[in-house]
Amino acid sequence: MYQRYHIETGSAPDIVPAPGRFRVKVKKIGLAGLILKEIVHYRGNWTVVLSRPCMYGVFSGPVGGFAPREHLCVGCLRCTTQYPEFVQVSPNPERLRQGDSFFSPDYVDALYYEARNGKIPVRGAGYRGPFGGVGWDGMWTDMSEIVRPTRDGIHGREFISTAVDIGSKPAFLAFDDQGRPTNDPVRTISLPLPMLLDSPPASLLSQKLVETMRRAAEETETLLILPIQAIQQFGVSSRVAVPLVKPGDEARLDRLSFAPAMIELDGWHQQFYERVRKRLPEGSISLRLAAGSSEELANYVRAGVRIFHVTPNYHGRWPDGRFVLDLIRDTHRAFLDLGCRDEVTLLGSGGIILAEHVAKSIICGLDAVALDTPVLVALQAEFLGECVDRATSQFRLPTALTVPWAAQRVKNLLGSWRDQLLEIMGAMGIREVRRLRGEIGRAMFQKDLEREAFAGIEGYV
Ligand code: SF4
């Protein structure tokens, strides 16, 4: 029976208390004076007296403002505006140590919220940040309702598909004299959402983490990329696992206890590719790249590769300095120039750390995203310093992590991001994510707009 795709989200509160956004400092003598005044004013109504002056409950604990409940503070500044002589509110320095310079504390906050319950973070008072910036912030999605109807996003009265096909597709169908198709068999994997789980850093691989990711991938019907050594060491035997292999792994491939739907090659080695192709003629083969030019891509396409996975570092930088956004656009354009865009699949990881980045990266030309650091943040992993390089970055997972909790957090993350993708597509009037790929007409780039407006004016660079 047909069932609409749905991710089962649920409550999975933080196991490590997240630091609040603000520190609230109260001078006890000033507060005691206020309480005395207000006991008289409110005629001994203790609930009111002890809650003043915060409507968010910061001063409503058992001993009122003498032990402020800082985690409830939203930074409205009412208290410090009304009583500047004894209340001070300041950013919590502990929170500023979360994440790193790219995965900033605000992003960590948003992701924690999504992972706790699978909901979409909403700012009731509207967005108060800057409207442009570097990286992803220099790209805006166009949701103009004038030129297209808004569709019904996550509420589901109108279905919007997030299904994608991973694999090689023929450019056209060919038939012999008897009308039988002569194309190679189509090898595609259909996923119900354009998000895969990428391999965690080698230093974090453990039975618990692998089991968590396998369970989350199975329950959301997506794929999980894992080094073949980890697959064997932790006894993974599931079609959702995509073995990541390199030359020398042939014997391991032979010993696999399941037939993988896809295999990922860790870098390009022509002979190894041919060997894997021969051993697994039915499986899809993806090529994982951490460097390379458009000319090299053309060579790989000519050699028969049809799935590409670009993996800039965790800050979204390619070795030549390009940001992931530009890298995706260039790669997409290179496939267009080769005339093979619809025959190949482009996956990407690195620097895609917010739900909006998924939509933006697909508009730039990705078919699907393989999530890396967002999964770790959902599991409350601590960043040990700047986490840039994939091989050397260090994270620490909470020791209290359990598989059911962690799997639910990953599912919540995927559910929330899928809902946000649906909202974006709904606002753009796009009915399926396959049509969003490379749909650059739905985006505006700050650089282009500024050039159009200011080029030729003195002072514009
Ligand atoms: S800043 Fe606002 S939310 Fe925070 S303690 Fe003061 S009144 Fe309450």
Side-chain angles (χ1 to χ4, degrees), residues 12 36 48-49 104 123-124 181 184 213 299 308 320 340 410 439:
L36 284 177
V48 174
V49 170
S104 68
R123 289 171 200 264
D184 286 340
M213 294 182 76
N299 289 336
F308 294 85
D320 61 14
C340 67
V410 179
E439 190 52 77

Side-chain angles (χ1 to χ4, degrees), residues 133-455:
V134 293
W136 293 114
D137 292 339
M139 175 182 177
W140 306 319
T141 47
D142 181 0
M143 298 176 184
S144 162
E145 287 177 38
I146 297 167
V147 290
R148 61 191 74 91
T150 298
R151 297 189 184 278
D152 190 30
I154 57 173
H155 303 294
R157 283 166 291 198
E158 185 178 19
F159 183 67
I160 296 175
S161 168
T162 54
V164 284
D165 300 318
I166 313 277
S168 64
K169 288 146 273 180
F172 50 84
L173 293 175
F175 299 92
D176 64 14
D177 296 344
Q178 271 78 47
R180 288 179 300 234
T182 55
N183 297 85
D184 286 340
V186 177
R187 274 191 292 265
T188 55
I189 305 159
S190 278
L191 299 182
L193 77 170
M195 286 176 259
L196 294 77
L197 304 180
D198 197 17
S199 175
S203 59
L204 276 187
L205 285 169
S206 66
Q207 187 75 48
K208 260 193 206 173
L209 183 62
V210 168
E211 176 64 14
T212 292
M213 294 182 76
R214 181 199 59 77
R215 199 191 277 196
E218 278 180 358
E219 291 177 16
T220 52
E221 300 169 44
T222 188
L223 296 174
L224 161 64
I225 301 165
L226 276 179
I228 193 163
Q229 294 88 337
I231 288 179
Q232 290 181 331
Q233 182 183 353
F234 301 115
V236 179
S237 180
S238 166
R239 289 269 296 171
V240 300
V242 174
L244 180 61
V245 294
K246 55 183 182 310
D249 283 335
E250 290 87 343
R252 286 199 169 92
L253 266 176
D254 286 342
R255 290 202 300 272
L256 268 186
S257 58
F258 61 99
M262 185 167 103
I263 287 179
E264 186 153 295
L265 306 185
D266 196 359
W268 177 246
H269 305 273
Q270 172 92 38
Q271 287 159 353
F272 183 58
Y273 169 71
E274 302 294 349
R275 284 204 291 272
V276 174
R277 174 90 284 163
K278 257 190 222 141
R279 271 164 203 248
L280 297 152
E282 299 302 314
S284 298
I285 299 179
S286 156
L287 174 60
R288 187 182 186 92
L289 294 170
S293 62
S294 302
E295 293 74 43
E296 285 169 278
L297 276 184
N299 289 336
Y300 304 145
V301 171
R302 279 191 279 275
V305 180
R306 289 293 178 267
I307 308 174
F308 294 85
H309 181 182
V310 288
T311 56
N313 67 28
Y314 287 140
H315 287 197
R317 292 282 165 197
W318 201 240
D320 61 14
R322 273 180 296 169
F323 186 61
V324 59
L325 180 155
D326 300 307
L327 171 71
I328 296 168
R329 290 189 72 187
D330 292 347
T331 312
H332 177 70
R333 219 175 287 129
F335 289 142
L336 287 174
D337 293 343
L338 288 169
C340 67
R341 184 61 192 97
D342 286 331
E343 293 162 62
V344 300
T345 302
L346 182 59
L347 310 174
S349 304
I352 299 167
I353 58 172
L354 289 184
E356 69 174 62
H357 299 170
V358 174
K360 286 179 175 178
S361 60
I362 293 173
I363 291 172
C364 287
L366 278 194
D367 288 278
V369 173
L371 304 181
D372 42 41
T373 45
V375 174
L376 303 179
V377 173
L379 304 182
Q380 295 198 278
E382 190 186 337
F383 285 53
L384 304 177
E386 279 292 297
C387 294
V388 185
D389 187 73
R390 289 176 178 271
T392 56
S393 294
Q394 295 288 322
F395 303 86
R396 189 188 298 131
L397 285 168
T399 45
L401 180 148
T402 62
V403 172
W405 172 85
Q408 188 60 59
R409 295 273 290 197
V410 179
K411 281 166 57 185
N412 288 349
L413 170 72
L414 292 173
S416 171
W417 282 24
R418 179 174 180 265
D419 279 351
Q420 290 174 72
L421 182 62
L422 287 173
E423 283 292 274
I424 291 173
M425 288 201 292
M428 289 177 172
I430 289 187
R431 290 165 66 140
E432 59 169 328
V433 77
R434 280 180 281 224
R435 293 188 195 188
L436 188 67
R437 189 203 66 197
E439 190 52 77
I440 218 75
R442 300 291 165 95
M444 294 171 284
F445 295 89
Q446 190 182 353
K447 264 194 268 174
D448 298 344
L449 296 178
E450 284 180 349
R451 195 173 41 241
E452 279 169 28
F454 305 124

